Amino acid sequence: MTTFSKIATRGKLTLGLVFPLEAYNGPIAKMENQEQLAKRAEELGFKALWFRDVPFNDPNFGDAGQLFDPWIYMTHIMNHTSEIALGSASIILPLRHPVHTAKSIQSLQILSNERLVLGVASGDRPIEYPAFNQQLEQKSELFRDSFFYVKALQGDFPNYTSKFYGNTNGAIDLVPKYHQKTPMLVTGHSGQSLDWIAEHSDGWLYYPRDFNTLHIIMQQWREALSKTKKDWKPFMQSLYVDVTTDAKAKPTPIHLGFKSGTEYLNAHLKLLESNGVNHVILNLKYGSRSAEEMIEEIGEKVIPSFS
């Protein structure tokens, strides 16, 4: 079984965590005890650890993510775990050269024993584009160009011409060589139509929505897959949670999620599963308890329902 199939199976839901594994105020996390928490998450049965790509701290955005370069931090956490998937959520394709991105993909897949799942995006902080000398109004085209260049570079002696990033002529080859396909999930729309995502991605990574909206989104996703003659591709989403000590506590809203006890969290995730969601990336930023306590609680009282 591949790492991808362990976290994405039709009709089933699995759980992951996004770094920082921490409840914190403001944009900057402390990033303490992350290695130990990652190891414990793996022991408890979480299927993936996710790493965001946030080049700059934008004070107007309010969240700088896990601070470190995602490739370096994935490698660091790789060395403290053994089997859990390492997911990017998400690499900002237009702001990284495709050759460096492809080289990082190949390297990490080999060094991690094929644990990488690649979420890709066009970025959600417009203020970053000038720092990379890229045009924000071109981000949709930049994303597509980089997406296809990265895919081409994973083949042998690629012959590919990119409008924005350069070209290869079939006389050079990118090494090290990883000969399996690395799953690439498009995050949000990244400036693309849903039909394009259904045809070219290996799955769709989306955001938390109410169940009425989710039902509509899933119907649109299935229709887009049908147009491209694809039977199924996974649908994944993020979710902010604050898990209380009272298992029976009813939900109250927080940003992009809710605060509740484990009974409601279980029920909510079961509804997501029944709607076709295959993987949920839990974010603990707004927790009223420590991440360590919440990870233990979820691992003991929620994970067994989705084994």
Side-chain angles (χ1 to χ4, degrees):
M1 181 180 288
T2 66
T3 294
F4 192 45
S5 62
K6 288 179 183 177
I7 71 168
T9 302
R10 190 172 189 171
K12 300 293 184 181
L13 183 142
T14 59
L15 293 176
L17 292 166
V18 65
F19 285 95
L21 305 180
E22 184 177 332
Y24 60 101
N25 296 315
I28 306 296
K30 292 181 180 179
M31 299 300 295
E32 296 174 343
N33 303 317
Q34 299 295 282
E35 299 86 357
Q36 293 89 339
L37 291 174
K39 289 174 67 174
R40 185 58 182 151
E42 182 174 50
E43 292 167 356
L44 288 167
F46 289 90
K47 297 302 182 185
L49 297 169
W50 295 85
F51 304 75
R52 294 165 64 193
D53 184 9
V54 185
F56 291 93
N57 174 27
D58 175 6
N60 294 317
F61 196 86
D63 188 1
Q66 49 84 18
L67 306 183
F68 301 109
D69 176 86
W71 301 117
I72 292 174
Y73 201 53
M74 274 192 271
T75 304
H76 175 65
I77 295 299
M78 173 194 83
N79 290 323
H80 288 273
T81 53
S82 57
E83 295 183 350
I84 195 167
L86 309 168
S88 64
S90 295
I91 297 298
I92 307 173
L93 289 186
L95 303 186
R96 291 178 174 268
H97 197 285
V99 172
H100 292 141
T101 298
K103 181 105 175 175
S104 296
I105 292 168
Q106 307 281 75
S107 301
L108 191 57
Q109 285 289 39
I110 293 168
L111 294 172
S112 71
N113 194 26
E114 306 179 341
R115 290 162 62 188
L116 176 64
V117 176
L118 193 70
V120 294
S122 60
D124 52 12
R125 295 163 172 80
I127 199 172
E128 292 176 337
Y129 268 69
F132 291 88
N133 197 30
Q134 295 288 20
Q135 302 300 312
L136 182 63
E137 61 271 17
Q138 293 180 319
K139 79 171 189 175
S140 298
E141 191 177 4
L142 285 162
F143 177 88
R144 287 193 302 275
D145 193 9
S146 179
F147 184 94
F148 290 129
Y149 197 4
V150 167
K151 279 189 170 289
L153 287 164
Q154 294 178 66
D156 293 326
F157 288 93
N159 188 353
Y160 186 84
T161 298
S162 161
K163 178 179 178 180
F164 297 102
Y165 298 103
N167 62 80
T168 59
N169 57 13
I172 53 176
D173 197 17
L174 188 70
V175 290
K177 188 60 63 180
Y178 173 73
H179 286 287
Q180 305 300 316
K181 183 177 75 169
T182 295
M184 292 177 68
L185 302 135
V186 173
T187 304
H189 284 85
S190 295
Q192 314 308 313
S193 71
L194 194 52
D195 288 350
W196 187 95
I197 296 170
E199 181 173 1
H200 297 291
S201 78
D202 295 294
W204 194 18
L205 228 175
Y206 207 64
Y207 309 103
R209 295 292 184 261
D210 64 80
F211 283 106
N212 288 334
T213 304
L214 176 64
H215 180 77
I216 295 169
I217 289 170
M218 293 304 300
Q219 182 60 35
Q220 292 171 339
W221 178 232
R222 285 188 286 268
E223 289 172 358
L225 289 171
S226 178
K227 287 180 188 176
T228 56
K229 296 181 169 55
K230 303 292 192 301
D231 183 44
W232 173 82
K233 288 182 180 181
F235 180 94
M236 306 183 186
Q237 68 157 77
S238 57
L239 181 66
Y240 286 76
V241 295
D242 179 7
V243 182
T244 68
T245 55
D246 178 5
K248 298 183 179 299
K250 302 299 182 184
T252 56
I254 60 174
H255 177 67
L256 294 176
F258 53 84
K259 176 179 182 177
S260 79
T262 50
E263 287 190 8
Y264 176 79
L265 177 57
N266 249 318
H268 186 95
L269 292 171
K270 280 295 182 184
L271 274 173
L272 291 178
E273 184 178 57
S274 69
N275 275 273
V277 177
N278 305 112
H279 184 76
V280 173
I281 305 168
L282 298 176
N283 192 320
L284 308 178
K285 174 176 169 54
Y286 299 111
S288 55
R289 304 163 66 192
S290 71
E292 181 177 11
E293 291 175 315
M294 289 189 286
I295 289 169
E296 288 290 335
E297 192 101 4
I298 296 167
E300 292 174 7
K301 298 182 179 178
V302 179
I303 291 284
S305 299
F306 301 93
S307 299

